[in-house]
Amino acid sequence: LPVEEWPLALEKEPEEWQLKYRFPKPTDDDIVILHCRTCRRSAWAAQLAADAGLRQCLVYRQGVYGWRLSPTVKAYSSYEVGDVPPEPEQFEKEYIDVDSAEAELRSLGIF
């Protein structure tokens, strides 16, 4: 979800959110993980989310470059405003194991 849409998105009804973004609107009990390149926009988005009643917003403080801690994660090609975006790269879809994810968050004391 683009951060510039976040303030108005938080005001949308769940049905309107689902239609626009094609995933369910987070509820007050959902864990929401926010990230951006440098952490500034995600920290701002987390404050907006908290103000809107979302109680479990986590910010990935290392930003998108933090994912490079794992050699299995490929860095993406960034570009500046006004530049032509790089061509998309092919990747294999990764499926989420919700139970394992929750167990990891519990082990870290954040869930």
Side-chain angles (χ1 to χ4, degrees):
L1 180 67
V3 73
E4 61 271 9
E5 293 183 30
W6 193 237
L8 293 176
L10 289 169
E11 295 179 9
K12 292 186 183 303
E13 293 297 321
E15 298 79 20
E16 187 180 1
W17 174 292
Q18 175 77 38
L19 187 64
K20 180 166 178 73
Y21 300 114
R22 301 191 188 276
F23 65 92
K25 182 177 181 179
T27 66
D28 297 350
D29 296 323
D30 288 333
I31 295 173
V32 177
I33 300 174
L34 302 162
H35 68 92
C36 67
R37 188 167 54 99
T38 62
C39 187
R40 285 185 300 200
R41 290 171 291 160
S42 54
W44 173 75
Q47 184 60 57
L48 289 177
D51 292 346
L54 296 174
R55 298 185 308 254
Q56 298 189 75
C57 287
L58 306 174
V59 174
Y60 189 69
R61 294 197 184 281
Q62 295 164 319
V64 296
Y65 295 121
W67 295 107
R68 291 189 194 176
L69 297 173
S70 169
T72 63
V73 177
K74 184 177 180 180
Y76 71 91
S77 301
S78 63
Y79 59 97
E80 297 297 324
V81 173
D83 290 349
V84 175
E87 290 295 317
E89 297 181 24
Q90 297 297 319
F91 64 93
E92 290 197 29
K93 187 174 182 177
E94 198 173 315
Y95 293 94
I96 299 169
D97 178 351
V98 175
D99 294 333
S100 293
E102 286 182 4
E104 181 178 351
L105 291 174
R106 281 189 211 320
S107 75
L108 295 170
I110 27 187
F111 184 70

PDB file of all heavy atoms in Angstrom, residues 64-90:
ATOM      1  N   VAL A  64      14.115  -1.485   3.855  1.00  0.00           N
ATOM      2  CA  VAL A  64      14.163  -2.570   2.870  1.00  0.00           C
ATOM      3  C   VAL A  64      15.557  -3.149   2.716  1.00  0.00           C
ATOM      4  O   VAL A  64      15.714  -4.307   2.358  1.00  0.00           O
ATOM      5  CB  VAL A  64      13.623  -2.116   1.492  1.00  0.00           C
ATOM      6  CG1 VAL A  64      12.165  -1.764   1.576  1.00  0.00           C
ATOM      7  CG2 VAL A  64      14.416  -0.969   0.928  1.00  0.00           C
ATOM      8  N   TYR A  65      16.576  -2.375   3.025  1.00  0.00           N
ATOM      9  CA  TYR A  65      17.930  -2.903   2.912  1.00  0.00           C
ATOM     10  C   TYR A  65      18.236  -3.917   4.016  1.00  0.00           C
ATOM     11  O   TYR A  65      19.166  -4.708   3.888  1.00  0.00           O
ATOM     12  CB  TYR A  65      18.952  -1.776   2.922  1.00  0.00           C
ATOM     13  CG  TYR A  65      18.814  -0.882   1.719  1.00  0.00           C
ATOM     14  CD1 TYR A  65      18.565   0.470   1.866  1.00  0.00           C
ATOM     15  CD2 TYR A  65      18.906  -1.398   0.429  1.00  0.00           C
ATOM     16  CE1 TYR A  65      18.421   1.289   0.753  1.00  0.00           C
ATOM     17  CE2 TYR A  65      18.759  -0.591  -0.675  1.00  0.00           C
ATOM     18  CZ  TYR A  65      18.527   0.754  -0.510  1.00  0.00           C
ATOM     19  OH  TYR A  65      18.378   1.548  -1.606  1.00  0.00           O
ATOM     20  N   GLY A  66      17.472  -3.901   5.085  1.00  0.00           N
ATOM     21  CA  GLY A  66      17.665  -4.868   6.160  1.00  0.00           C
ATOM     22  C   GLY A  66      17.421  -6.295   5.727  1.00  0.00           C
ATOM     23  O   GLY A  66      17.971  -7.227   6.314  1.00  0.00           O
ATOM     24  N   TRP A  67      16.603  -6.473   4.709  1.00  0.00           N
ATOM     25  CA  TRP A  67      16.336  -7.830   4.232  1.00  0.00           C
ATOM     26  C   TRP A  67      17.592  -8.467   3.659  1.00  0.00           C
ATOM     27  O   TRP A  67      17.680  -9.660   3.488  1.00  0.00           O
ATOM     28  CB  TRP A  67      15.236  -7.832   3.172  1.00  0.00           C
ATOM     29  CG  TRP A  67      13.932  -7.400   3.717  1.00  0.00           C
ATOM     30  CD1 TRP A  67      13.312  -6.211   3.487  1.00  0.00           C
ATOM     31  CD2 TRP A  67      13.067  -8.121   4.600  1.00  0.00           C
ATOM     32  NE1 TRP A  67      12.122  -6.148   4.167  1.00  0.00           N
ATOM     33  CE2 TRP A  67      11.940  -7.313   4.860  1.00  0.00           C
ATOM     34  CE3 TRP A  67      13.132  -9.366   5.201  1.00  0.00           C
ATOM     35  CZ2 TRP A  67      10.906  -7.718   5.687  1.00  0.00           C
ATOM     36  CZ3 TRP A  67      12.092  -9.765   6.022  1.00  0.00           C
ATOM     37  CH2 TRP A  67      11.000  -8.941   6.253  1.00  0.00           C
ATOM     38  N   ARG A  68      18.594  -7.654   3.347  1.00  0.00           N
ATOM     39  CA  ARG A  68      19.838  -8.194   2.798  1.00  0.00           C
ATOM     40  C   ARG A  68      20.623  -8.987   3.833  1.00  0.00           C
ATOM     41  O   ARG A  68      21.645  -9.570   3.517  1.00  0.00           O
ATOM     42  CB  ARG A  68      20.707  -7.063   2.260  1.00  0.00           C
ATOM     43  CG  ARG A  68      20.148  -6.418   1.046  1.00  0.00           C
ATOM     44  CD  ARG A  68      21.145  -5.468   0.463  1.00  0.00           C
ATOM     45  NE  ARG A  68      20.520  -4.601  -0.507  1.00  0.00           N
ATOM     46  CZ  ARG A  68      21.138  -3.640  -1.114  1.00  0.00           C
ATOM     47  NH1 ARG A  68      22.394  -3.394  -0.860  1.00  0.00           N
ATOM     48  NH2 ARG A  68      20.506  -2.887  -1.989  1.00  0.00           N
ATOM     49  N   LEU A  69      20.155  -8.984   5.081  1.00  0.00           N
ATOM     50  CA  LEU A  69      20.845  -9.764   6.103  1.00  0.00           C
ATOM     51  C   LEU A  69      20.841 -11.244   5.746  1.00  0.00           C
ATOM     52  O   LEU A  69      21.686 -11.998   6.187  1.00  0.00           O
ATOM     53  CB  LEU A  69      20.187  -9.557   7.466  1.00  0.00           C
ATOM     54  CG  LEU A  69      20.260  -8.119   7.997  1.00  0.00           C
ATOM     55  CD1 LEU A  69      19.427  -7.991   9.262  1.00  0.00           C
ATOM     56  CD2 LEU A  69      21.699  -7.717   8.254  1.00  0.00           C
ATOM     57  N   SER A  70      19.878 -11.643   4.940  1.00  0.00           N
ATOM     58  CA  SER A  70      19.811 -13.030   4.491  1.00  0.00           C
ATOM     59  C   SER A  70      20.336 -13.105   3.060  1.00  0.00           C
ATOM     60  O   SER A  70      19.859 -12.389   2.182  1.00  0.00           O
ATOM     61  CB  SER A  70      18.360 -13.532   4.520  1.00  0.00           C
ATOM     62  OG  SER A  70      18.277 -14.778   3.852  1.00  0.00           O
ATOM     63  N   PRO A  71      21.307 -13.957   2.809  1.00  0.00           N
ATOM     64  CA  PRO A  71      21.842 -14.066   1.447  1.00  0.00           C
ATOM     65  C   PRO A  71      20.836 -14.642   0.450  1.00  0.00           C
ATOM     66  O   PRO A  71      21.050 -14.574  -0.750  1.00  0.00           O
ATOM     67  CB  PRO A  71      23.054 -14.996   1.614  1.00  0.00           C
ATOM     68  CG  PRO A  71      22.794 -15.749   2.866  1.00  0.00           C
ATOM     69  CD  PRO A  71      21.967 -14.857   3.744  1.00  0.00           C
ATOM     70  N   THR A  72      19.719 -15.179   0.946  1.00  0.00           N
ATOM     71  CA  THR A  72      18.723 -15.743   0.039  1.00  0.00           C
ATOM     72  C   THR A  72      17.803 -14.673  -0.549  1.00  0.00           C
ATOM     73  O   THR A  72      17.035 -14.953  -1.451  1.00  0.00           O
ATOM     74  CB  THR A  72      17.849 -16.782   0.759  1.00  0.00           C
ATOM     75  OG1 THR A  72      17.133 -16.131   1.809  1.00  0.00           O
ATOM     76  CG2 THR A  72      18.690 -17.908   1.330  1.00  0.00           C
ATOM     77  N   VAL A  73      17.878 -13.451  -0.005  1.00  0.00           N
ATOM     78  CA  VAL A  73      16.995 -12.378  -0.472  1.00  0.00           C
ATOM     79  C   VAL A  73      17.758 -11.498  -1.445  1.00  0.00           C
ATOM     80  O   VAL A  73      18.819 -10.964  -1.129  1.00  0.00           O
ATOM     81  CB  VAL A  73      16.470 -11.529   0.711  1.00  0.00           C
ATOM     82  CG1 VAL A  73      15.620 -10.375   0.203  1.00  0.00           C
ATOM     83  CG2 VAL A  73      15.687 -12.404   1.665  1.00  0.00           C
ATOM     84  N   LYS A  74      17.207 -11.363  -2.632  1.00  0.00           N
ATOM     85  CA  LYS A  74      17.848 -10.574  -3.671  1.00  0.00           C
ATOM     86  C   LYS A  74      17.482  -9.096  -3.497  1.00  0.00           C
ATOM     87  O   LYS A  74      16.327  -8.751  -3.302  1.00  0.00           O
ATOM     88  CB  LYS A  74      17.378 -11.071  -5.040  1.00  0.00           C
ATOM     89  CG  LYS A  74      18.048 -10.379  -6.186  1.00  0.00           C
ATOM     90  CD  LYS A  74      17.599 -10.971  -7.499  1.00  0.00           C
ATOM     91  CE  LYS A  74      18.286 -10.259  -8.633  1.00  0.00           C
ATOM     92  NZ  LYS A  74      17.880 -10.796  -9.917  1.00  0.00           N
ATOM     93  N   ALA A  75      18.472  -8.228  -3.567  1.00  0.00           N
ATOM     94  CA  ALA A  75      18.222  -6.781  -3.475  1.00  0.00           C
ATOM     95  C   ALA A  75      17.507  -6.325  -4.747  1.00  0.00           C
ATOM     96  O   ALA A  75      17.749  -6.840  -5.839  1.00  0.00           O
ATOM     97  CB  ALA A  75      19.541  -6.045  -3.323  1.00  0.00           C
ATOM     98  N   TYR A  76      16.627  -5.344  -4.589  1.00  0.00           N
ATOM     99  CA  TYR A  76      15.924  -4.833  -5.758  1.00  0.00           C
ATOM    100  C   TYR A  76      16.658  -3.618  -6.310  1.00  0.00           C
ATOM    101  O   TYR A  76      17.464  -2.991  -5.632  1.00  0.00           O
ATOM    102  CB  TYR A  76      14.474  -4.488  -5.421  1.00  0.00           C
ATOM    103  CG  TYR A  76      14.304  -3.258  -4.552  1.00  0.00           C
ATOM    104  CD1 TYR A  76      14.136  -2.013  -5.118  1.00  0.00           C
ATOM    105  CD2 TYR A  76      14.295  -3.354  -3.171  1.00  0.00           C
ATOM    106  CE1 TYR A  76      13.979  -0.888  -4.327  1.00  0.00           C
ATOM    107  CE2 TYR A  76      14.146  -2.240  -2.372  1.00  0.00           C
ATOM    108  CZ  TYR A  76      13.981  -1.006  -2.962  1.00  0.00           C
ATOM    109  OH  TYR A  76      13.834   0.096  -2.172  1.00  0.00           O
ATOM    110  N   SER A  77      16.369  -3.288  -7.565  1.00  0.00           N
ATOM    111  CA  SER A  77      16.982  -2.130  -8.211  1.00  0.00           C
ATOM    112  C   SER A  77      16.159  -0.898  -7.882  1.00  0.00           C
ATOM    113  O   SER A  77      14.985  -0.816  -8.244  1.00  0.00           O
ATOM    114  CB  SER A  77      17.030  -2.326  -9.724  1.00  0.00           C
ATOM    115  OG  SER A  77      17.759  -3.489 -10.038  1.00  0.00           O
ATOM    116  N   SER A  78      16.766   0.051  -7.196  1.00  0.00           N
ATOM    117  CA  SER A  78      16.038   1.279  -6.860  1.00  0.00           C
ATOM    118  C   SER A  78      16.210   2.300  -7.980  1.00  0.00           C
ATOM    119  O   SER A  78      17.058   2.143  -8.869  1.00  0.00           O
ATOM    120  CB  SER A  78      16.533   1.847  -5.534  1.00  0.00           C
ATOM    121  OG  SER A  78      17.883   2.207  -5.640  1.00  0.00           O
ATOM    122  N   TYR A  79      15.415   3.356  -7.930  1.00  0.00           N
ATOM    123  CA  TYR A  79      15.518   4.434  -8.908  1.00  0.00           C
ATOM    124  C   TYR A  79      14.987   5.706  -8.273  1.00  0.00           C
ATOM    125  O   TYR A  79      14.283   5.673  -7.280  1.00  0.00           O
ATOM    126  CB  TYR A  79      14.766   4.096 -10.192  1.00  0.00           C
ATOM    127  CG  TYR A  79      13.288   3.839  -9.999  1.00  0.00           C
ATOM    128  CD1 TYR A  79      12.365   4.854 -10.233  1.00  0.00           C
ATOM    129  CD2 TYR A  79      12.815   2.599  -9.592  1.00  0.00           C
ATOM    130  CE1 TYR A  79      11.003   4.628 -10.055  1.00  0.00           C
ATOM    131  CE2 TYR A  79      11.464   2.372  -9.409  1.00  0.00           C
ATOM    132  CZ  TYR A  79      10.561   3.390  -9.649  1.00  0.00           C
ATOM    133  OH  TYR A  79       9.220   3.178  -9.470  1.00  0.00           O
ATOM    134  N   GLU A  80      15.367   6.816  -8.823  1.00  0.00           N
ATOM    135  CA  GLU A  80      14.978   8.120  -8.294  1.00  0.00           C
ATOM    136  C   GLU A  80      13.739   8.633  -9.020  1.00  0.00           C
ATOM    137  O   GLU A  80      13.422   8.189 -10.134  1.00  0.00           O
ATOM    138  CB  GLU A  80      16.127   9.121  -8.456  1.00  0.00           C
ATOM    139  CG  GLU A  80      17.379   8.754  -7.681  1.00  0.00           C
ATOM    140  CD  GLU A  80      17.162   8.742  -6.188  1.00  0.00           C
ATOM    141  OE1 GLU A  80      16.391   9.588  -5.683  1.00  0.00           O
ATOM    142  OE2 GLU A  80      17.763   7.894  -5.507  1.00  0.00           O
ATOM    143  N   VAL A  81      13.067   9.599  -8.402  1.00  0.00           N
ATOM    144  CA  VAL A  81      11.904  10.230  -9.022  1.00  0.00           C
ATOM    145  C   VAL A  81      12.322  10.801 -10.368  1.00  0.00           C
ATOM    146  O   VAL A  81      13.353  11.471 -10.477  1.00  0.00           O
ATOM    147  CB  VAL A  81      11.342  11.349  -8.111  1.00  0.00           C
ATOM    148  CG1 VAL A  81      10.236  12.116  -8.822  1.00  0.00           C
ATOM    149  CG2 VAL A  81      10.841  10.774  -6.802  1.00  0.00           C
ATOM    150  N   GLY A  82      11.552  10.520 -11.385  1.00  0.00           N
ATOM    151  CA  GLY A  82      11.849  11.015 -12.732  1.00  0.00           C
ATOM    152  C   GLY A  82      12.610  10.023 -13.584  1.00  0.00           C
ATOM    153  O   GLY A  82      12.629  10.138 -14.803  1.00  0.00           O
ATOM    154  N   ASP A  83      13.274   9.030 -12.948  1.00  0.00           N
ATOM    155  CA  ASP A  83      13.986   8.006 -13.712  1.00  0.00           C
ATOM    156  C   ASP A  83      12.991   6.971 -14.232  1.00  0.00           C
ATOM    157  O   ASP A  83      11.918   6.780 -13.664  1.00  0.00           O
ATOM    158  CB  ASP A  83      15.006   7.271 -12.836  1.00  0.00           C
ATOM    159  CG  ASP A  83      16.189   8.124 -12.447  1.00  0.00           C
ATOM    160  OD1 ASP A  83      16.334   9.232 -13.014  1.00  0.00           O
ATOM    161  OD2 ASP A  83      16.955   7.696 -11.567  1.00  0.00           O
ATOM    162  N   VAL A  84      13.381   6.294 -15.275  1.00  0.00           N
ATOM    163  CA  VAL A  84      12.571   5.189 -15.784  1.00  0.00           C
ATOM    164  C   VAL A  84      12.755   4.012 -14.830  1.00  0.00           C
ATOM    165  O   VAL A  84      13.886   3.646 -14.503  1.00  0.00           O
ATOM    166  CB  VAL A  84      13.025   4.795 -17.206  1.00  0.00           C
ATOM    167  CG1 VAL A  84      12.273   3.571 -17.696  1.00  0.00           C
ATOM    168  CG2 VAL A  84      12.841   5.960 -18.162  1.00  0.00           C
ATOM    169  N   PRO A  85      11.646   3.434 -14.337  1.00  0.00           N
ATOM    170  CA  PRO A  85      11.785   2.290 -13.418  1.00  0.00           C
ATOM    171  C   PRO A  85      12.476   1.121 -14.101  1.00  0.00           C
ATOM    172  O   PRO A  85      12.331   0.921 -15.309  1.00  0.00           O
ATOM    173  CB  PRO A  85      10.336   1.926 -13.083  1.00  0.00           C
ATOM    174  CG  PRO A  85       9.533   3.112 -13.453  1.00  0.00           C
ATOM    175  CD  PRO A  85      10.262   3.811 -14.556  1.00  0.00           C
ATOM    176  N   PRO A  86      13.225   0.326 -13.338  1.00  0.00           N
ATOM    177  CA  PRO A  86      13.867  -0.861 -13.929  1.00  0.00           C
ATOM    178  C   PRO A  86      12.813  -1.887 -14.331  1.00  0.00           C
ATOM    179  O   PRO A  86      11.695  -1.876 -13.829  1.00  0.00           O
ATOM    180  CB  PRO A  86      14.749  -1.388 -12.797  1.00  0.00           C
ATOM    181  CG  PRO A  86      14.202  -0.788 -11.552  1.00  0.00           C
ATOM    182  CD  PRO A  86      13.508   0.473 -11.922  1.00  0.00           C
ATOM    183  N   GLU A  87      13.185  -2.749 -15.225  1.00  0.00           N
ATOM    184  CA  GLU A  87      12.289  -3.814 -15.666  1.00  0.00           C
ATOM    185  C   GLU A  87      12.028  -4.775 -14.501  1.00  0.00           C
ATOM    186  O   GLU A  87      12.931  -5.054 -13.715  1.00  0.00           O
ATOM    187  CB  GLU A  87      12.898  -4.589 -16.836  1.00  0.00           C
ATOM    188  CG  GLU A  87      12.958  -3.811 -18.122  1.00  0.00           C
ATOM    189  CD  GLU A  87      11.571  -3.475 -18.652  1.00  0.00           C
ATOM    190  OE1 GLU A  87      10.675  -4.349 -18.622  1.00  0.00           O
ATOM    191  OE2 GLU A  87      11.382  -2.323 -19.081  1.00  0.00           O
ATOM    192  N   PRO A  88      10.796  -5.274 -14.388  1.00  0.00           N
ATOM    193  CA  PRO A  88      10.503  -6.244 -13.309  1.00  0.00           C
ATOM    194  C   PRO A  88      11.332  -7.514 -13.497  1.00  0.00           C
ATOM    195  O   PRO A  88      11.636  -7.919 -14.604  1.00  0.00           O
ATOM    196  CB  PRO A  88       9.016  -6.546 -13.495  1.00  0.00           C
ATOM    197  CG  PRO A  88       8.495  -5.523 -14.422  1.00  0.00           C
ATOM    198  CD  PRO A  88       9.643  -4.966 -15.184  1.00  0.00           C
ATOM    199  N   GLU A  89      11.686  -8.114 -12.376  1.00  0.00           N
ATOM    200  CA  GLU A  89      12.428  -9.364 -12.409  1.00  0.00           C
ATOM    201  C   GLU A  89      11.506 -10.508 -12.022  1.00  0.00           C
ATOM    202  O   GLU A  89      10.622 -10.340 -11.195  1.00  0.00           O
ATOM    203  CB  GLU A  89      13.608  -9.290 -11.440  1.00  0.00           C
ATOM    204  CG  GLU A  89      14.606  -8.218 -11.826  1.00  0.00           C
ATOM    205  CD  GLU A  89      15.786  -8.166 -10.884  1.00  0.00           C
ATOM    206  OE1 GLU A  89      16.085  -9.200 -10.239  1.00  0.00           O
ATOM    207  OE2 GLU A  89      16.403  -7.100 -10.791  1.00  0.00           O
ATOM    208  N   GLN A  90      11.711 -11.651 -12.616  1.00  0.00           N
ATOM    209  CA  GLN A  90      10.903 -12.831 -12.315  1.00  0.00           C
ATOM    210  C   GLN A  90      11.284 -13.378 -10.946  1.00  0.00           C
ATOM    211  O   GLN A  90      12.444 -13.302 -10.537  1.00  0.00           O
ATOM    212  CB  GLN A  90      11.111 -13.906 -13.377  1.00  0.00           C
ATOM    213  CG  GLN A  90      10.654 -13.484 -14.760  1.00  0.00           C
ATOM    214  CD  GLN A  90       9.157 -13.224 -14.794  1.00  0.00           C
ATOM    215  OE1 GLN A  90       8.382 -13.958 -14.202  1.00  0.00           O
ATOM    216  NE2 GLN A  90       8.757 -12.168 -15.488  1.00  0.00           N
TER     217      GLN A  90
END
